[in-house]
Amino acid sequence: MTGNNRNNGDVQRILSDTISRLLADHVSDRVRHEAEQGQFPTTTWQALVEAGLMDVLVFEGASTPTTGWPEASLLMRSAGAFGIPAPFVETIIARWILSSAGLDAPDTPLTIAGLSGAGAGLVLDGTKGSFTVSGTLSRVPWGRDAEAVVTVVIKEGVPYAVCAPVAQSHVTHSVNLAREPRDNLSFDKAPVMAAATRLMPDSVMMAGALARAGQMAGALDRVVALTVRYARDRVQFGRPIAAFQAIQQALAVLSTQAAAADMAAEQAAQAMHLAEESDAIFAVAVAKTRADDATGIGAGMAHQIHGAIGFTYEHELQFSTRRLWSWRTEFGSGQYWAARLGRAALDHGGDALWPWLVAHKTVGIDELKERNYESV
C-alpha cells in the first residue's frame, strides 16, 4: 500500500466519523418533522457549514487534492441514511460546478438544476459581466430555501456554468412524496454570474444522478438496519419473527439489494474520480439504474416485514422509504438511464459490444484495486 493510499483511507475514515457524529447529533425525527412543515433546519445547516464538508469537490489551489468523488459519495450515502432535510448534496455539486469555472461560490445553501440537454429551460444572454437568463427550471430541489440555483447552459456551442439568484425568480412551490421542496423557478432577464466551464453539457445530470444513487444506497442501508432490528424485537407465536425462515429469506434479499446498490454507487464515484466524464457516464448510468431496481424490491419488502406499522407517520421507516421512492425519478429514472445504456450498446454494434463492456469494467475494478480504498 502506498502512502497516498493510506492518506485516502485516513481521509475517508475522518470524513465518515465526522459526518456520522454530526448527523447523529443534528438530524432527528423532530428535525425531519419540522422540515416537512416548512421549517428550514438552520442549526443543522450551520453545523454542516462549520465542518467544511461542502467543499469536498473544490480543488482550487490544490496540486494534489486529498478529496474527490469517492469522498463526496461517502458524504452523500450518509446524507441519504440520515435523510438530511436540506440541500446538502446539491450544495456540494453546485460548489464543484462553480469552482470548475473559476466562479466564487456564496457561503449559503445552493441548489442545482439539470435536465437532459443541460440547463434545459434557460436561455443565457449577454457578455462577461452582464449575463442574464430567462426561462423556467422545473422541480428544482430545495428551490425556495437556496440562495442560488447552479446549472450548465449552452451558449453559442460553449457550456457555461451559471449561478442564478433565486431572489431574481418567481418561485412556484411544490414538494415530492417525501415532502422535500421541488419548486419551479421562472427567470425573466435576471442578472446572473456565468463563465465558460470545462464540464460536459450533461455534467449536472450526471452528478445529480450519482448523488441520488449514493443517497439511495445510504437510505437502503438504513432500511436494512431498521428492518433487522424490528424482526429481532417483534415476537409472534412465542419467538422473534426473525427466527422464521420466510422472514430470514426476505431479509437476505433486502440486504443483497442494498449491498448491490451501495457497490454500484461506489464504483460510479470511483469512475467519476479516475476517468473522463464521457467514460464515467457508463458507471453512473449503472448506479442509478441499480439503485432504482433495489428500491423497487427492497422498500416494498421492508414494509412487508414491518406490517402496516411502517407506513404510519410516527414510524421511522417511512422517512427512508418515502425518500427512496421520490429519488427514483430525480435526475433520470432507472428507465431513463437504462435506455441510455441500451442506445450506447446499439451504437457500438454487436462485434464491439463485449470489448466495450470489458473496457468499462477494467477501468473501474483495476483502478479500484490500485487505489485500495480501505473503507471499501
Side-chain angles (χ1 to χ4, degrees), residues 184-233:
N184 295 341
L185 308 181
S186 297
F187 296 89
D188 183 14
K189 297 181 181 178
V192 297
M193 287 196 305
T197 174
R198 57 177 170 74
L199 297 179
M200 292 195 329
D202 229 7
S203 291
V204 183
M205 190 74 169
M206 282 180 59
L210 177 56
R212 290 294 183 264
Q215 289 176 280
M216 292 166 77
L220 281 164
D221 275 346
R222 183 64 177 158
V223 166
V224 170
L226 292 173
T227 306
V228 169
R229 186 178 70 188
Y230 180 81
R232 287 174 173 168
D233 292 344

Side-chain angles (χ1 to χ4, degrees), residues 155-195:
K155 181 177 186 296
E156 299 172 353
V158 177
Y160 280 77
V162 172
C163 181
V166 172
Q168 297 288 335
S169 71
H170 174 73
V171 181
T172 303
H173 288 191
S174 184
V175 295
N176 63 13
L177 181 63
R179 299 195 64 77
E180 296 174 315
R182 296 295 184 264
D183 304 323
N184 295 341
L185 308 181
S186 297
F187 296 89
D188 183 14
K189 297 181 181 178
V192 297
M193 287 196 305

Side-chain angles (χ1 to χ4, degrees), residues 122-300:
L122 280 190
V123 175
L124 179 66
D125 289 317
T127 57
K128 185 177 182 180
S130 60
F131 285 111
T132 63
V133 292
S134 299
T136 298
L137 295 170
S138 301
R139 299 194 65 76
V140 177
W142 311 97
R144 76 195 68 171
D145 298 311
E147 180 79 11
V149 56
V150 175
T151 189
V152 175
V153 178
I154 306 300
K155 181 177 186 296
E156 299 172 353
V158 177
Y160 280 77
V162 172
C163 181
V166 172
Q168 297 288 335
S169 71
H170 174 73
V171 181
T172 303
H173 288 191
S174 184
V175 295
N176 63 13
L177 181 63
R179 299 195 64 77
E180 296 174 315
R182 296 295 184 264
D183 304 323
N184 295 341
L185 308 181
S186 297
F187 296 89
D188 183 14
K189 297 181 181 178
V192 297
M193 287 196 305
T197 174
R198 57 177 170 74
L199 297 179
M200 292 195 329
D202 229 7
S203 291
V204 183
M205 190 74 169
M206 282 180 59
L210 177 56
R212 290 294 183 264
Q215 289 176 280
M216 292 166 77
L220 281 164
D221 275 346
R222 183 64 177 158
V223 166
V224 170
L226 292 173
T227 306
V228 169
R229 186 178 70 188
Y230 180 81
R232 287 174 173 168
D233 292 344
R234 172 69 169 152
V235 175
Q236 191 76 328
F237 305 114
R239 55 180 177 166
I241 63 172
F244 294 96
Q245 190 173 26
I247 298 297
Q248 292 173 355
Q249 182 181 6
L251 288 173
V253 172
L254 172 58
S255 298
T256 53
Q257 291 296 323
D262 187 64
M263 184 52 66
E266 175 65 22
Q267 183 78 354
Q270 296 288 348
M272 282 285 281
H273 189 65
L274 297 168
E276 295 294 329
E277 285 183 59
S278 55
D279 292 328
I281 196 168
F282 177 92
V284 172
V286 170
K288 189 62 165 62
T289 304
R290 194 66 197 82
D292 186 293
D293 290 346
T295 293
I297 298 170

